[in-house]
Amino acid sequence: MRKTFIALGLGASVALVGCTRPDVVPKSSGSVALSPDDALLFVADADHDVLTVIDLKTRAVLAQTPVGKSPERVAVAPNGDVYVTSKGARTVSRLSPDGRHVEATATVGAEPVGLTLSRDGQELLVANSMSGTVSRLDAKTLSVKTELKVGGQPWSLSPLADGKTVYVTDFAGGSVKVLSLESGAVTSTVTLEQSPASECAWGIAPAREPAQATDVILSPDGERAYVAHVQSRTGVLDSTHPTNTRMATSLAFAVAPALSTLDTTTHMHKMEPSNRTMPMDPSAPQATGATDFPPTILTTNMTADCQNIGRPPGMDSPSSLVADALGEWIFVADHNSNAVAVVSSTRRQDDRFLDPERGIAGLVRVGARPTGIAVAGDLKHAYVHNALDGTISIIENSSGRLVVSATIPFANSGLAPDVERGRRLFYSAVDPRVTEPQLGGVSCSSCHPNGRTDALSWTLPSTPNPTGSWNQWPPANTPTRNTPALWGVTKTAPYHWDGTAQDLSAFSTTMVRQMGGVGVSSNDLSDLNAYMATLSPPDNPNAGALAPGLVARGQALFAERCQSCHAGEQLTDNRSHQVVASDVSKLDTPSLRGVFATAPYLHDGSAKALRDVVRPSRPTVTEHDTRGLPEQDLSALEAFLQAQ
């Protein structure tokens, strides 16, 4: 009798015993992958630029094979070939089935992340996040056939059963692109918004924006796709709602883990039903039919009637997904909350579940920053890569509960001790020094993923009260603030868009209070600063690729019109300036280093692309007024900025 991996002793079947192995390739996602026979585990170790090979019978490290800089994700073909993307090297490599030898390497676009084989196994598809492209390569030779422009930040891919269509997640846009391999074009984009009234803890916010779409997988029958992303509460809460009092005093509620379900026939995502106690937003898509798909919001800190139950660990930013071979359960690794959620694919209900009504069976605590997960074909084991610990957590059943039964260490951090401590603080949504785990938790990385930007604009008070929070959420006319990237941040004081935080310690202390943390020490701040000093801009695909004459003309115009404020290594004068048309009296000069990757632009995010900054309809500062410049000069200025 075939029995599910995560029956947990809660249903008709018994977990992890007496199982018959289904004839399927083991499922994996993110930075780990299993060999077809479940004997080997392959791990992309970005800290040491190697592919680590682990023997799962002896739990010994067999090899650490050098690949390109910052290996990101792994995939294994049915014949055993191993493929690895190296985000920092613009390469993808094919290794021998034992993972010991690199047999072919190809150059692809900037910052490749996700990779997958085509349905027939003849092609390898690679998502190049900074180039906004998908590379098609011959799976054996790795010769590049073509590079398809999809836009945004392509992150993860999943080919559909028809063999002609591929789902591509857009990390920055929080959406899924439908890519036709026949035409080589994106035929549609699936947005992942839900009705504001669809889920209790988040339904009372009028603005919840999807972002950080990190993974997409298919159900075994191919009829559905599941997408991991976040839902961010960027808008203004209704301060009259009785449950908003606590939510309005901490950013710990601001980012929620999300799991959207797509119908692969219609390419539409399934809508949650309206909240029982709230009217459905008439402008939002309406849910239809029975709710037989996983909950969109995976937070477990709110009951169905909107009561906070303060049950850690929370969840905030999923990194990877995997379904068991029968398609009954989905495992969601959350890289800031150090946990794996186990979710019913049909929203099965059971009083013994962690969240009985929404089908969340439980949460398993693992190591620091899980970035990949795999479920063995025998349905008896799951393996989680804890990137900051350099370990693998083995999840098994114990008396009806899934627990970490063993941990396999394979690497130590190569960072300086203070940098490593700062990195752990930066990525933690469970450390009470920086957040409120009992409320769900939020980390620095929740809004600044990998030290970059979530591409969102937030409605936040400009100055918190002395406790670091505020008595109620700001009023509806409070302006929004665009999330800045953090590379070079240690050299760009003052901070906040109005420049009110004079040094990084003041900035970090304020943000930790707003995140709900009890506070950080001076040593903690020093560690955070040490880590943030290591952050660098993304790999720029425009550098050297644009017409040299055009860029040179743009550079001359920039020196003439912009360099009085955007000067030096970080392209900022580290000062605040009076503005012409804005919601604040002064604006801190933002750094333009790596500006090509920080859309949207301006302090309120009102400029969606660099061309909107170069060609503003209403300049915010006098120097931004480019009206009267010839079109060719505007194009040159834009080209120069794109190359930064």
Side-chain angles (χ1 to χ4, degrees):
M1 178 181 178
R2 183 179 293 176
K3 297 166 184 174
T4 64
F5 172 66
I6 177 64
L8 289 171
L10 302 179
S13 56
V14 180
L16 308 186
V17 293
C19 296
T20 301
R21 175 188 172 90
D23 295 325
V24 296
V25 176
K27 304 289 185 177
S28 60
S29 178
S31 57
V32 294
L34 282 161
S35 62
D37 60 1
D38 291 352
L40 301 177
L41 186 72
F42 305 101
V43 188
D45 182 353
D47 276 357
H48 300 91
D49 301 336
V50 298
L51 178 75
T52 297
V53 185
I54 298 173
D55 183 314
L56 291 176
K57 183 177 181 179
T58 64
R59 298 179 181 175
V61 175
L62 299 181
Q64 291 183 314
T65 307
V67 289
K69 182 180 179 182
S70 302
E72 184 76 11
R73 294 202 172 193
V74 191
V76 176
N79 69 356
D81 285 346
V82 183
Y83 298 90
V84 184
T85 52
S86 294
K87 191 176 180 180
R90 296 194 186 187
T91 61
V92 59
S93 300
R94 179 176 59 79
L95 291 86
S96 56
D98 61 5
R100 293 176 180 268
H101 308 285
V102 175
E103 298 183 334
T105 298
T107 299
V108 288
E111 298 203 354
V113 180
L115 72 169
T116 187
L117 288 163
S118 59
R119 298 294 290 195
D120 61 9
Q122 299 302 303
E123 291 188 340
L124 183 71
L125 307 175
V126 179
N128 307 308
S129 61
M130 282 296 107
S131 293
T133 61
V134 170
S135 293
R136 296 178 68 173
L137 303 92
D138 181 281
K140 192 65 178 176
T141 65
L142 291 193
S143 59
V144 179
K145 295 182 175 182
T146 187
E147 190 170 346
L148 307 177
K149 188 69 176 179
V150 298
Q153 290 185 22
W155 207 260
S156 177
L157 312 99
S158 186
L160 303 193
D162 64 6
K164 304 174 183 178
T165 310
V166 180
Y167 280 165
V168 185
T169 62
D170 178 359
F171 182 83
S175 63
V176 175
K177 306 289 182 68
V178 182
L179 175 64
S180 168
L181 294 180
E182 290 185 320
S183 68
V186 172
T187 58
S188 63
T189 297
V190 185
T191 58
L192 302 174
E193 290 90 350
Q194 289 284 330
S195 162
S198 64
E199 200 276 337
C200 175
W202 301 86
I204 53 182
R208 293 185 297 106
E209 296 188 56
Q212 300 180 46
T214 55
D215 210 358
V216 56
I217 62 171
L218 289 187
S219 59
D221 61 14
E223 295 179 358
R224 291 180 173 180
Y226 305 108
V227 185
H229 59 104
V230 302
Q231 289 279 19
S232 295
R233 186 205 64 204
T234 58
V236 179
L237 286 170
D238 175 7
S239 60
T240 64
H241 195 284
T243 64
N244 279 0
T245 303
R246 190 70 191 93
M247 291 177 67
T249 62
S250 173
L251 286 178
F253 286 102
V255 178
L259 181 61
S260 288
T261 302
L262 277 59
D263 184 315
T264 58
T265 301
T266 62
H267 306 315
M268 297 183 65
H269 78 296
K270 294 183 176 293
M271 302 300 299
E272 291 275 6
S274 61
N275 183 283
R276 293 190 304 269
T277 61
M278 298 183 66
M280 174 68 82
D281 178 359
S283 65
Q286 304 296 300
T288 58
T291 307
D292 64 345
F293 54 90
T296 301
I297 301 296
L298 298 183
T299 182
T300 58
N301 300 93
M302 285 282 177
T303 64
D305 59 352
C306 297
Q307 298 301 308
N308 171 44
I309 54 178
R311 177 171 50 200
M315 299 275 282
D316 85 320
S317 299
S319 65
S320 47
L321 301 174
V322 67
D324 75 326
L326 303 180
E328 297 181 6
W329 300 94
I330 303 169
F331 298 77
V332 186
D334 191 293
H335 54 12
N336 294 331
S337 299
N338 306 342
V340 173
V342 185
V343 185
S344 168
S345 64
T346 57
R347 207 175 300 214
R348 172 183 168 189
Q349 298 184 7
D350 192 297
D351 289 340
R352 289 164 288 184
F353 287 1
L354 179 62
D355 190 326
E357 183 171 317
R358 295 190 297 142
I360 302 176
L363 290 174
V364 183
R365 293 302 299 266
V366 292
R369 194 160 172 76
T371 56
I373 184 167
V375 173
D378 63 6
L379 306 182
K380 292 184 178 182
H381 306 87
Y383 304 94
V384 181
H385 174 207
N386 309 306
L388 299 193
D389 290 343
T391 63
I392 298 295
S393 294
I394 302 178
I395 299 177
E396 298 182 15
N397 176 274
S398 175
S399 302
R401 293 179 59 248
L402 286 186
V403 298
V404 174
S405 63
T407 300
I408 304 174
F410 64 84
N412 295 316
S413 172
L415 300 177
D418 59 340
V419 175
E420 179 60 34
R421 291 191 301 267
R423 180 167 72 161
R424 288 173 179 268
L425 275 176
F426 187 88
Y427 288 109
S428 180
V430 295
D431 191 321
R433 288 176 293 176
V434 296
T435 191
E436 295 178 275
Q438 71 276 15
L439 300 183
V442 67
S443 72
C444 302
S445 180
S446 300
C447 298
H448 302 277
N450 300 309
R452 300 180 180 184
T453 172
D454 59 7
L456 298 176
S457 297
W458 294 77
T459 302
L460 296 173
S462 57
T463 305
N465 67 30
T467 67
S469 60
W470 45 93
N471 294 328
Q472 69 176 35
W473 201 251
N477 61 353
T478 301
T480 58
R481 294 290 178 261
N482 184 21
T483 303
L486 297 183
W487 55 75
V489 68
T490 57
K491 302 176 182 179
T492 58
Y495 302 101
H496 295 308
W497 278 102
D498 55 5
T500 54
Q502 294 303 307
D503 56 49
L504 199 52
S505 293
F507 169 75
S508 299
T509 299
T510 298
M511 291 311 302
V512 163
R513 291 199 194 105
Q514 292 187 354
M515 290 159 59
V518 296
V520 289
S521 68
S522 58
N523 287 337
D524 295 332
L525 288 172
S526 178
D527 292 341
L528 273 171
N529 292 354
Y531 171 67
M532 288 191 287
T534 69
L535 299 173
S536 59
D539 183 2
N540 190 344
N542 304 310
L546 299 173
L550 190 67
V551 173
R553 173 57 181 157
Q555 183 175 13
L557 285 166
F558 185 87
E560 175 187 328
R561 301 182 61 90
C562 312
Q563 205 160 299
S564 59
C565 295
H566 296 284
E569 177 190 1
Q570 302 300 325
L571 298 180
T572 174
D573 61 1
N574 300 94
R575 297 175 58 190
S576 297
H577 295 272
Q578 298 288 339
V579 295
V580 174
S582 179
D583 46 62
V584 291
S585 59
K586 286 187 176 182
L587 283 176
D588 179 41
T589 305
S591 168
L592 297 186
R593 190 176 175 218
V595 69
F596 81 98
T598 60
Y601 300 101
L602 304 181
H603 68 289
D604 57 0
S606 58
K608 303 307 179 186
L610 275 174
R611 68 180 65 91
D612 301 320
V613 180
V614 174
R615 302 165 172 83
S617 58
R618 189 183 64 168
T620 54
V621 295
T622 301
E623 289 76 9
H624 284 183
D625 190 351
T626 58
R627 289 173 293 186
L629 281 180
E631 179 62 30
Q632 58 267 35
D633 284 353
L634 296 176
S635 296
L637 190 56
E638 182 182 356
F640 172 74
L641 293 173
Q642 289 283 9
Q644 300 312 300

